[in-house]
């Protein structure tokens, strides 16, 4: 389950530019696995579930980006997604997109935003 708006995820400065970070909330079937990607001073949040199989995009830790850091990449079959809106750009998810989680930067913190 998504934490309430205003919940602090981490400091923006803790993330390289660009880089991603994984977060999880809750347990069991209601658990929410999500990640954020920093690109410059902006952050983008998504549910950590690939539209292809529903499995997580990262195969270890906070690795969500393709080599070079310009796109999000699923580790399982290599689908690539645009950082800014989660649209699939190539791979078996063509025409689909990641599910967004609204986040914003507030006083240097990455926080959950209102939808
Ligand atoms: S599970 Fe992501 S591309 Fe297949």
């Amino acid at each position: 389950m998504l934490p309430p708006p205003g919940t602090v995820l981490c400091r923006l400065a803790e993330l390289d530019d660009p880089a991603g970070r994984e977060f999880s909330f809750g347990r069991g079937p209601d658990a929410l696995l999500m990640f954020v990607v920093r690109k410059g001073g902006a952050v983008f949040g998504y549910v950590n579930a690939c539209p292809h199989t529903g499995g997580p995009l990262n195969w270890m830790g906070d690795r969500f980006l393709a080599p070079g850091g310009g796109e999000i990449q699923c580790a399982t079959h290599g689908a690539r997604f645009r950082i800014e809106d989660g649209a699939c750009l190539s791979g078996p998810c063509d025409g689909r997109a990641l599910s967004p989680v609204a986040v914003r930067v507030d006083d240097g913190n990455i926080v959950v935003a209102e939808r």
Side-chain angles (χ1 to χ4, degrees), residues 50-57 74-79 81 91-93:
C50 181
H52 183 212
T53 67
L57 284 91
C74 179
T76 305
H77 303 112
F81 305 88
C93 306

Side-chain angles (χ1 to χ4, degrees), residues 72-83:
I72 296 166
Q73 182 172 23
C74 179
T76 305
H77 303 112
R80 291 195 178 201
F81 305 88
R82 189 162 42 227
I83 291 174

